[in-house]
Amino acid sequence: MDRGTVGSASRGRLHVEIRHHGASAVVTVAGELDHHTADLLRESLEGCVDDGYARLVVDCSRLEFMDSTGLNVLLGARLKAEAEGGGVHLVEMQPVVARVFEITGAEAVFTVHDSLDAALAD
């Protein structure tokens, strides 16, 4: 059941929206994820897990840039979600963002989907 957007926040160049779809929290990230903006996403993802949504679907379709700090936020969220029986699913990564995962090998520890529908059906 999609309850619409239940949370939305912006910090500088990053905007995060959260909505719930069944047992999943869909976290849409737009803008630039770096050491200046990473806390906003960290707080949002941790809040979802704390609220009982251990299955995190991160929609990266509007994420224009991500550095190693952003990658660390996602890795930390993955550990927290998995500890609660869930996980982090990444959706529609732009080439510049996907490259960070490819270079670091982090793509091997995340489930990556081509579309939001595919992530929600998984």
Side-chain angles (χ1 to χ4, degrees):
M1 174 176 157
D2 184 354
R3 295 181 358 203
T5 301
V6 296
S8 179
S10 292
R11 183 170 299 150
R13 301 175 317 265
L14 187 70
H15 182 77
V16 176
E17 289 183 5
I18 301 167
R19 64 184 175 92
H20 299 146
H21 187 280
S24 299
V26 178
V27 181
T28 302
V29 186
E32 299 179 11
L33 177 56
D34 58 25
H35 70 280
H36 296 291
T37 60
D39 283 341
L40 177 62
L41 182 59
R42 179 181 294 108
E43 293 162 3
S44 298
L45 294 172
E46 289 179 357
C48 289
V49 175
D50 291 344
D51 289 344
Y53 291 91
R55 186 174 194 280
L56 305 173
V57 177
V58 182
D59 181 352
C60 300
S61 63
R62 296 186 301 158
L63 185 60
E64 301 165 0
F65 173 83
M66 184 180 74
D67 69 4
S68 62
T69 308
L71 178 59
N72 284 328
V73 167
L74 291 170
L75 289 167
R78 177 184 152 265
L79 292 175
K80 185 167 184 158
E82 286 180 354
E84 298 298 321
V88 175
H89 298 255
L90 304 175
V91 177
E92 293 188 46
M93 287 192 291
Q94 298 297 317
V96 68
V97 174
R99 182 77 174 131
V100 173
F101 286 86
E102 180 184 329
I103 290 170
T104 62
E107 64 188 5
V109 299
F110 288 97
T111 304
V112 180
H113 302 273
D114 291 332
S115 72
L116 185 57
D117 287 340
L120 294 173
D122 185 20

